């Protein structure tokens, strides 16, 4: 039996107007960053969104978190239409939907200690007392494979992989239901990438998380996701079960993406 | 066989960085050769010393770096004793380099034409007009459509892949005998990465340039490199023909690097990882196997003291004896 739908988009659109200078003055050009995207994400599953830079996958992530407003279409989270929500409601929505970003360093405030970084989201939402918040932060640090002692350090004292662990701890401290991972491992070395992927899988089991996993690396997406949606020029060109798409891609663009993966190791093993 | 077939020959190179009062060894006794027309892949994670090794070839290291030992000879000339003036003739001319970040390696306030023409005229006595024609020809070689139009654009009007192509065009403008590519595709999408690698392969065949390709991802160099060096903690831990290493990876580090790349779905279990972190240079254990701490389930006796690189089959070198006793720990097993 399939689990309930957690997030659903209906004909979601985002257009940007570009002003282009021509010989005869300015001309407006419309760029459709996200074009009529309808997707459903079920509770507890991992949906991978694949495509190259500029295909609209990050814009899509920002639309479903309501960091930006859509030009058209609707987004439902837990059957509530979030595209129609007023600001105070959106704020409480942030507790349920969190994000992890690509650049592990740039997404941490360099002037704050780890403890302050981790307790800030709790403070913003007025959860618990200061002491309880600290305890939660320590607990979360251990959950992501770091130690209590790390709480008093600054982000620059950590490696890229460790910083990404801190980012994950910060995202999960509010106990969100949906986590959007925007290329969370593409800035990391391969062995660190494996550590972070394993951690995300462990945490998913522990907290029953639903992930939207954005990446351009099909090997990683095949490993990590249950379903894949392939995005090209703002549209979903193919979607379905991850393994099926990997084994038998239908759309030309998906085939092209798959061919681009370096495959020599695999073929040597066989 | 004489040494003439070696374009570049690095012998026992050691480089120290002076930090306050102590010296920290970043590169330890590294030796390798690059033959004419050959592609050498250097693989390792951040902190392995791979970038320091190649930047040292051009003598572009920061001021606190010291060459403590060894020699680097290029076309039978010693680079380490060469004067700055002579070196400047080599750089960008005989040896050129492409960097990881195509976004920041180009000057944002000048057009592509400006920068390409400058690079061309630096090394060849050409008129501005001739240099411009040459620039257009180079852009065509690296696969930029409508080069006559595109050449007038600024770097920000180019995509990441196109910028990296411009960097490659600039690097090959002097028909160098050696091209050093330091993670040239890490910042790019997979499809663009494939195009850039295909392009490098094509250039290598067309103009017979030797290439040193640095990456942290073994798969990227899989079908490009002729030979591989795997580096960890400033040392070479395994080296040999790429085909041999992919068919028979021996050192635990190489094997873990290969296994860490996902090749299945999550039903196949958690990915094998390398425990712990890459140690900082000052923390690297000396006189023992440097990888020891990352594979704590392998008993101490498996490692040797002062591990040496040994030839285990023709041209295939491995450091330390621990590879004989190494087994892959179950990935999903938890501590």
């Amino acid at each position: 039996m399939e689990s309930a739908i957690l997030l659903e988009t209906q004909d979601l659109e985002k257009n940007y107007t570009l002003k282009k200078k021509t010989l005869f003055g300015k001309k407006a050009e419309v760029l459709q960053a996200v074009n009529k995207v309808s997707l459903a994400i079920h509770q507890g599953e991992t949906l991978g969104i694949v495509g190259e830079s500029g295909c609209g996958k990050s814009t899509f992530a920002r639309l479903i978190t309501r960091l930006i407003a859509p030009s058209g279409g609707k987004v439902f989270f837990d059957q509530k239409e979030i595209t129609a929500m007023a600001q105070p409601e959106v704020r409480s929505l942030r507790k349920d939907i969190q994000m992890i970003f690509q650049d592990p360093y740039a997404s941490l405030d360099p002037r704050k200690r780890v403890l302050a970084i981790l307790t800030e989201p709790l403070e913003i939402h007025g959860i618990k007392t200061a002491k309880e918040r600290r305890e939660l932060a320590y607990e979360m640090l251990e959950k992501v494979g770091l130690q209590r002692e790390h709480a008093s350090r600054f982000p620059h004292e950590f490696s890229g992989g460790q910083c990404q662990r801190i980012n994950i701890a910060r995202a999960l401290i509010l106990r969100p239901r949906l986590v959007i991972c925007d290329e969370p491992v593409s800035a990391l070395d391969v062995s660190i990438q494996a550590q972070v992927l394993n951690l995300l899988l462990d945490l998913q089991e522990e907290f029953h998380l639903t992930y939207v996993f954005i990446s351009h690396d099909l090997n990683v997406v095949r490993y990590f996701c249950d379903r894949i949606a392939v995005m090209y020029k703002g549209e979903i060109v193919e979607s379905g079960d991850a393994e099926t798409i990997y084994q038998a891609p239908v759309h030309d663009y998906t085939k092209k993406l798959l061919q681009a993966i370096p495959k020599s190791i695999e073929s040597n093993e066989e | 066989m004489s040494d003439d077939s070696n374009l570049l020959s690095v012998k026992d190179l050691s480089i120290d960085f002076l930090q306050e009062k102590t010296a920290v060894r970043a590169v330890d006794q590294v030796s390798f050769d690059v033959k004419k027309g050959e592609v050498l892949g250097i693989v390792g994670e951040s902190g392995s010393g791979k970038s320091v090794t190649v930047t040292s070839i051009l003598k572009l290291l920061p001021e606190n770096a010291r060459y403590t030992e060894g020699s680097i000879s290029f076309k039978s000339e010693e680079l380490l004793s060469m004067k700055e003036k002579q070196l400047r003739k080599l750089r960008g001319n005989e040896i050129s380099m492409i960097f990881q970040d195509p976004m920041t390696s180009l000057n944002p306030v000048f057009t592509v034409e400006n920068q390409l023409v400058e690079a061309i005229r630096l090394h060849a006595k050409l008129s501005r007009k001739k240099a411009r024609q040459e620039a257009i020809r180079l852009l065509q070689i690296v696969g930029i459509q409508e080069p006559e139009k595109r050449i007038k654009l600024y770097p920000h009007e180019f995509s990441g892949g196109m910028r990296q192509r411009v960097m490659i065009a600039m690097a090959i403008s002097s028909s160098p005998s050696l091209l050093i590519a330091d993670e040239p595709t890490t910042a790019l999408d997979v499809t663009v990465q494939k195009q850039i690698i295909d392009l490098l392969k094509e250039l290598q065949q067309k103009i017979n340039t030797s290439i040193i390709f640095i990456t942290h991802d073994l798969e990227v160099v899989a079908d490009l490199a002729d030979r591989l060096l795997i580096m960890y903690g400033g040392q070479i831990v395994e080296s040999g023909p790429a085909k041999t290493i992919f068919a028979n990876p021996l050192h635990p580090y190489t094997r873990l690097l290969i296994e860490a790349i996902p090749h299945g779905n999550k039903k196949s279990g958690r990915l094998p990882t390398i425990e712990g972190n890459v140690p900082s240079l000052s923390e690297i254990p000396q006189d023992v196997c440097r990888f020891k701490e990352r594979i704590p389930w392998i008993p101490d006796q498996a490692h040797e003291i002062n591990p040496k690189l040994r030839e285990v089959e023709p041209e295939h070198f491995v450091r330390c004896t621990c590879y004989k006793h190494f087994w892959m720990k179950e990935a999903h097993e938890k501590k």
Side-chain angles (χ1 to χ4, degrees):
Chain A
M1 200 191 84
E2 263 194 342
S3 54
I5 289 173
L6 184 65
L7 185 113
E8 195 181 358
T9 68
Q10 288 174 356
D11 294 331
L12 195 61
E13 278 185 311
K14 180 73 191 174
N15 301 329
Y16 289 106
T17 318
L18 306 174
K19 287 204 180 76
K20 221 170 184 179
K21 259 192 243 164
T22 63
L23 201 56
F24 309 103
K26 280 178 183 167
K27 204 174 83 186
E29 222 178 277
V30 177
L31 176 88
Q32 294 188 303
V34 172
N35 192 6
K36 293 211 187 299
V37 171
S38 301
L39 275 175
I41 299 151
H42 297 267
Q43 210 125 32
E45 80 165 349
T46 304
L47 173 76
I49 298 183
V50 201
E52 43 196 308
S53 19
C55 75
K57 56 193 198 299
S58 292
T59 308
F60 178 73
R62 293 165 71 179
L63 283 171
I64 58 180
T65 41
R66 253 208 75 169
L67 287 172
I68 51 174
S71 318
K74 290 171 181 172
V75 182
F76 295 92
F77 179 78
D78 210 12
Q79 283 152 10
K80 284 181 292 241
E81 190 186 337
I82 66 174
T83 29
M85 278 182 186
Q87 259 322 303
E89 271 184 290
V90 172
R91 281 196 84 160
S92 69
L93 177 78
R94 303 254 189 271
K95 259 191 295 193
D96 288 322
I97 308 180
Q98 283 286 311
M99 275 187 92
I100 300 166
F101 299 93
Q102 173 170 8
D103 189 328
Y105 291 104
S107 36
L108 296 173
D109 185 341
R111 295 183 303 175
K112 280 200 175 114
R113 289 178 199 276
V114 171
L115 184 67
I117 290 172
L118 292 183
T119 49
E120 192 184 18
L122 296 169
E123 262 166 60
I124 290 171
H125 292 281
I127 298 167
K128 299 195 172 161
T129 63
K131 201 179 160 227
E132 285 169 319
R133 288 199 286 260
R134 277 200 299 276
E135 277 313 310
L136 260 178
Y138 290 136
E139 196 186 309
M140 210 59 231
L141 265 184
E142 279 165 11
K143 285 235 154 67
V144 297
L146 295 170
Q147 280 117 44
R148 276 177 93 98
E149 299 90 87
H150 288 136
S152 56
R153 298 202 193 156
F154 287 100
H156 75 263
E157 297 174 67
F158 295 93
S159 67
Q162 287 173 319
C163 279
Q164 204 55 304
R165 286 172 192 270
I166 298 169
N167 280 313
I168 293 170
R170 178 182 57 189
L172 296 189
I173 202 157
L174 288 166
R175 299 287 147 91
R177 298 169 63 193
L178 177 67
V179 179
I180 293 152
C181 313
D182 193 354
E183 307 250 14
V185 295
S186 41
L188 305 173
D189 278 343
V190 275
S191 70
I192 311 293
Q193 169 179 310
Q195 288 177 3
V196 171
L197 289 176
N198 285 347
L199 174 69
L200 286 171
L201 287 176
D202 288 340
L203 293 169
Q204 180 171 39
E205 278 171 17
E206 189 172 345
F207 298 118
H208 309 289
L209 295 169
T210 307
Y211 286 138
V212 173
F213 189 90
I214 298 172
S215 178
H216 65 260
D217 186 336
L218 264 164
N219 272 338
V220 171
V221 168
R222 174 200 182 195
Y223 172 72
F224 195 79
C225 302
D226 305 304
R227 282 196 307 132
I228 299 180
V230 183
M231 216 166 165
Y232 181 62
K233 292 189 175 162
E235 287 176 57
I236 303 286
V237 294
E238 185 166 0
S239 71
D241 174 66
E243 199 56 29
T244 316
I245 288 187
Y246 194 89
Q247 298 294 349
V250 177
H251 196 275
D252 282 348
Y253 179 69
T254 318
K255 287 181 190 160
K256 199 180 134 205
L257 273 181
L258 280 163
Q259 275 159 10
I261 304 173
K263 281 222 185 61
S264 304
I265 292 178
E266 236 179 346
S267 50
N268 271 327
E269 273 173 0
E270 277 153 17
Chain B
M1 200 180 78
S2 73
D3 265 2
D4 290 351
S5 63
N6 284 338
L7 181 71
L8 177 82
S9 183
V10 175
K11 275 208 180 68
D12 298 326
L13 181 71
S14 292
I15 294 163
D16 285 354
F17 279 95
L18 305 180
Q19 283 185 346
E20 283 155 22
K21 278 175 187 165
T22 53
V24 170
R25 182 144 294 191
V27 172
D28 192 33
Q29 301 269 327
V30 167
S31 303
F32 62 88
D33 299 322
V34 182
K35 295 187 180 69
K36 269 181 203 135
E38 180 184 56
V39 182
L40 175 74
I42 303 186
V43 186
E45 293 172 276
S46 355
S48 62
K50 56 192 196 307
S51 291
V52 178
T53 306
V54 293
T55 6
S56 74
I57 297 169
L58 284 172
K59 288 183 84 178
L60 288 174
L61 291 174
E63 272 187 7
N64 63 338
R66 296 283 173 275
Y67 295 82
T68 36
E69 262 181 86
S71 77
I72 304 174
S73 77
F74 178 76
K75 289 191 169 169
S76 309
E77 273 189 274
E78 178 58 46
L79 293 188
L80 290 185
S81 55
M82 203 178 262
K83 295 227 167 58
E84 184 61 29
K85 209 175 154 190
Q86 276 175 291
L87 271 171
R88 212 172 291 164
K89 278 187 194 150
L90 280 183
R91 281 187 207 134
N93 201 359
E94 287 272 355
I95 308 176
S96 10
M97 193 152 174
I98 315 167
F99 297 91
Q100 173 171 0
D101 196 344
M103 312 296 164
T104 52
S105 312
L106 289 166
N107 191 333
V109 300
F110 292 106
T111 60
V112 168
E113 172 172 353
N114 232 311
Q115 301 183 54
L116 262 175
V117 166
E118 185 193 357
I120 292 165
R121 293 190 62 195
L122 212 57
H123 298 289
K125 285 196 182 96
L126 284 179
S127 70
R128 226 161 241 290
K129 209 175 151 196
K130 284 258 171 63
R132 187 171 185 275
Q133 283 167 354
E134 174 67 8
I136 291 171
R137 190 185 68 92
L138 286 167
L139 288 179
Q140 215 149 20
I141 292 179
V142 296
I144 286 184
Q145 311 284 313
E146 300 184 275
E148 299 86 357
K149 269 191 209 162
R150 293 262 161 79
I151 197 168
K152 291 180 204 143
L153 299 179
Y154 286 88
H156 75 266
E157 296 174 272
F158 276 41
S159 69
M162 277 165 71
R163 272 180 258 190
Q164 199 57 291
R165 284 167 196 267
V166 173
M167 291 306 300
I168 295 174
M170 211 178 269
I172 61 167
S173 65
S174 56
S175 315
S177 0
L178 178 64
L179 184 65
I180 300 173
D182 190 356
E183 306 236 16
T185 60
T186 308
L188 305 173
D189 282 336
V190 266
T191 43
V192 186
Q193 166 170 302
K194 184 166 190 295
Q195 291 165 7
I196 299 288
I197 287 181
D198 289 347
L199 171 66
L200 286 175
K201 226 188 293 182
E202 202 186 303
L203 289 174
Q204 183 248 337
Q205 277 153 12
K206 245 189 228 162
I207 57 180
N208 203 29
T209 306
S210 307
I211 299 176
I212 299 182
F213 193 101
I214 301 173
T215 176
H216 69 267
D217 188 343
L218 257 169
E219 287 207 318
V220 170
V221 283
D223 57 344
L224 179 69
D226 300 305
R227 277 191 310 123
L228 290 176
L229 294 183
I230 321 287
M231 287 188 74
Y232 183 81
Q235 290 179 327
I236 297 174
V237 293
E238 184 162 1
S239 70
K243 282 202 179 92
T244 315
I245 291 188
F246 280 117
N248 185 22
L250 289 176
H251 196 278
Y253 185 54
T254 317
R255 290 180 55 187
L256 282 164
L257 276 182
I258 293 176
E259 290 293 323
I261 304 165
H263 280 118
N265 49 43
K266 57 185 161 189
K267 286 168 206 100
S268 56
R270 297 288 190 265
L271 295 167
T273 59
I274 306 179
E275 276 185 31
N277 292 298
V278 177
S280 75
L281 291 173
S282 51
E283 291 166 357
I284 283 177
Q286 307 288 324
D287 310 329
V288 291
C289 178
R290 296 188 173 185
F291 199 58
K292 194 170 144 184
E293 287 171 6
R294 309 293 299 276
I295 43 171
W297 65 93
I298 302 300
D300 272 5
Q301 307 89 276
H303 299 279
E304 61 184 303
I305 313 268
N306 265 323
K308 298 264 161 358
L309 268 179
R310 277 196 203 85
E311 194 164 10
V312 292
E313 57 184 315
E315 287 188 80
H316 188 181
F317 292 84
V318 182
R319 190 180 295 274
C320 194
T321 46
C322 59
Y323 77 91
K324 291 182 196 157
H325 309 274
F326 180 72
W327 46 278
M328 204 67 86
K329 207 164 115 177
E330 275 299 298
H332 42 259
E333 189 183 298
K334 280 209 197 145
K335 285 166 261 170

